Amino acid sequence: MRMGRPREFDAETALDKAMEVFWRHGYEGATIAQLTDAMGINPPSLYACFGNKEGLLKAALDRYTKLRGAWMDEVVAARTARDVAERMLMGIADKQTDPANPPGCLLVQGGIACGTGSENVPFELAARRAQNEDQLRDRFVRAKAEGDLKPTSDPAALARYVSAVSVGMGVMASSGADREALRQVADVAVQAVEAQSARE
Amino acid sequence: MRMGRPREFDAETALDKAMEVFWRHGYEGATIAQLTDAMGINPPSLYACFGNKEGLLKAALDRYTKLRGAWMDEVVAARTARDVAERMLMGIADKQTDPANPPGCLLVQGGIACGTGSENVPFELAARRAQNEDQLRDRFVRAKAEGDLKPTSDPAALARYVSAVSVGMGVMASSGADREALRQVADVAVQAVEAQSARE
DNA sequence: CCATATATGTAGTGTTCACTACAGATGTGG
DNA sequence: CCACATCTGTAGTGAACACTACATATATGG
């Protein structure tokens, strides 16, 4: 039973718009004016709802990872470690060049290096990337236990590798690489996971 | 025979300092105050010598790529495509975690996404990364011609792949990954190139 | 219908930013 | 020794930034 005047905008819709601005310009490159403009609200509404610029970023990151969480679940549901890597990297090649979104990945575009006062933004993004990596690692641990990966393989290293390739592809996408170019990278990258798979 | 009062600072030494600031904070995150402070000069000296902030960045990038050019020449001098990839990625694992420099790679940390007015900074960085990729591609073309790589292999895709892994490792380094973690990634990554190598 | 609580729009706030005017300093060319 | 060209330090410039005071609007609780 909330009191007072009700909010006139939908927070999630507004977050989607904010997400896109951060995605395209990065945390420091995005201005409050651009954000409020895209969200269709005025600064006081933004601050009342999200606290400050960094709070808005975190809310956008939460929404981003939530939206991608479902997809990541599909990825790790693949039958083998090799298929997980392929589904992940091919999917990323498509997603990062989807014209419906800015190119690349918000968890990279958001801000890799930041100035004084925003030092924890890069860490915030890194923490979210680490979540994906952990999910991959757990999947590869299982693959090793199932005999799908070689007994000598290192699931954590494999997960870190797939994560690194994803990030690299994201940077390439943001600087103009097209879908076909990214798919070729994914295709090569999968072969390293294949090399760690048990013979059949 | 230059006229007027001579410059009191060494441009290359100052550039090294500026390079480090851009490397650590990114183009937008670096302030003129931080730059002049690190360079040991005052703003008018900076602007007289480098034009503006973006000019300073370009000069720093020139110096960075020049310093790394020698190393890249060593990389492509390796005997096989596989050795090129290994030397490149292992070297990057070391360089990006060298405590003498900020973590990661200037060509990534410099700025992946930028705000209005600095839109061409990301492209500037991408162009420098593309130079390395081209050098790798040429080397892999040769490797294919020499029968070192399979006749079905795609040298351009391989070069793009190695470049993507390098970038991904750089981002990881900047968010705290240590040398051993990066070496593990490099180790896995090399296996994809190995898979494209002709049997012996 | 009134007191209260929250949202909104206008119009700012102080701060920090990249950049520069200007005066004095220090060299070269004649 | 004198014009001149360039550098240097001080001290700013206007613009853009994140953020907010305040009056007004719109809901709920009694």
Side-chain angles (χ1 to χ4, degrees):
Chain A
M1 61 177 82
R2 59 182 175 192
M3 294 264 299
R5 179 174 174 177
R7 181 177 296 143
E8 288 187 0
F9 63 96
D10 177 60
E12 292 203 332
T13 307
L15 260 186
D16 284 341
K17 297 298 186 180
M19 203 169 75
E20 193 170 320
V21 175
F22 283 131
W23 200 334
R24 197 175 298 280
H25 297 292
Y27 176 73
E28 293 191 312
T31 68
I32 297 292
Q34 285 173 327
L35 289 163
T36 52
D37 205 48
M39 297 166 86
I41 60 177
N42 289 311
S45 299
L46 190 159
Y47 284 89
C49 192
F50 302 104
N52 56 18
K53 191 182 178 185
E54 196 168 331
L56 177 61
L57 175 72
K58 286 182 184 171
L61 292 178
D62 282 341
R63 183 150 172 80
Y64 184 79
T65 52
K66 186 184 169 191
L67 290 176
R68 291 185 64 127
W71 175 72
M72 273 301 290
D73 291 342
E74 283 178 33
V75 165
V76 297
R79 216 172 44 83
T80 64
R82 185 211 166 277
D83 288 351
V84 167
E86 184 178 41
R87 199 178 282 190
M88 168 105 179
L89 296 174
M90 282 297 176
I92 281 189
D94 288 355
K95 284 177 176 296
Q96 290 178 342
T97 55
D98 183 350
N101 297 321
C105 169
L106 174 61
L107 301 187
V108 175
Q109 299 296 311
I112 293 303
C114 278
T116 310
S118 311
E119 294 92 345
N120 50 334
V121 166
F123 288 110
E124 196 73 36
L125 300 187
R128 317 270 178 163
R129 293 194 301 268
Q131 287 178 12
N132 288 348
E133 188 183 309
D134 288 347
Q135 201 170 351
L136 280 177
R137 187 202 53 209
D138 292 347
R139 180 61 184 83
F140 289 152
V141 165
R142 197 188 100 197
K144 184 174 177 181
E146 288 172 345
D148 169 27
L149 284 172
K150 284 183 184 171
T152 56
S153 65
D154 181 345
L158 270 180
R160 198 153 45 227
Y161 162 75
V162 172
S163 186
V165 175
S166 305
V167 169
M169 288 171 65
V171 172
M172 285 192 156
S174 76
S175 57
D178 63 16
R179 183 164 295 184
E180 186 52 29
L182 293 187
R183 282 184 174 161
Q184 288 176 354
V185 170
D187 187 61
V188 174
V190 167
Q191 299 181 36
V193 180
E194 224 164 60
Q196 288 300 314
S197 297
R199 310 274 173 188
E200 1 193 311
Chain B
M1 59 178 78
R2 59 183 177 192
M3 294 265 297
R5 178 173 175 178
R7 181 177 296 142
E8 290 187 0
F9 64 95
D10 178 60
E12 292 203 330
T13 307
L15 260 187
D16 285 340
K17 297 297 187 180
M19 201 168 77
E20 194 170 319
V21 175
F22 283 131
W23 200 335
R24 198 175 297 280
H25 298 292
Y27 176 74
E28 292 191 312
T31 68
I32 296 292
Q34 285 174 328
L35 290 164
T36 52
D37 204 48
M39 298 166 86
I41 61 178
N42 289 310
S45 299
L46 190 159
Y47 284 88
C49 191
F50 302 104
N52 57 17
K53 191 182 177 185
E54 197 167 329
L56 177 61
L57 175 72
K58 286 182 185 171
L61 292 178
D62 283 340
R63 183 152 173 78
Y64 184 78
T65 51
K66 185 183 168 191
L67 290 176
R68 291 183 67 122
W71 175 70
M72 273 300 290
D73 290 343
E74 284 179 33
V75 166
V76 297
R79 216 171 44 82
T80 64
R82 184 212 167 274
D83 288 350
V84 167
E86 184 179 41
R87 201 180 282 190
M88 167 104 179
L89 295 174
M90 281 297 175
I92 281 190
D94 288 355
K95 285 178 176 296
Q96 290 179 341
T97 55
D98 183 350
N101 295 321
C105 170
L106 174 61
L107 301 188
V108 175
Q109 299 296 310
I112 293 302
C114 277
T116 310
S118 310
E119 294 93 345
N120 50 334
V121 166
F123 289 109
E124 196 71 37
L125 300 187
R128 317 271 178 163
R129 292 193 303 268
Q131 286 178 12
N132 288 348
E133 189 184 310
D134 287 348
Q135 201 170 350
L136 280 177
R137 187 203 54 210
D138 291 347
R139 179 63 184 84
F140 289 152
V141 165
R142 197 188 100 197
K144 185 175 176 180
E146 288 172 347
D148 170 26
L149 284 172
K150 286 182 183 172
T152 56
S153 66
D154 181 345
L158 269 180
R160 197 153 47 227
Y161 163 75
V162 172
S163 186
V165 174
S166 304
V167 169
M169 287 169 65
V171 172
M172 284 190 156
S174 77
S175 58
D178 63 14
R179 183 164 294 184
E180 186 54 28
L182 294 187
R183 282 185 174 161
Q184 288 176 354
V185 170
D187 187 61
V188 174
V190 167
Q191 298 181 37
V193 179
E194 224 163 59
Q196 289 299 315
S197 297
R199 310 274 173 190
E200 4 193 311

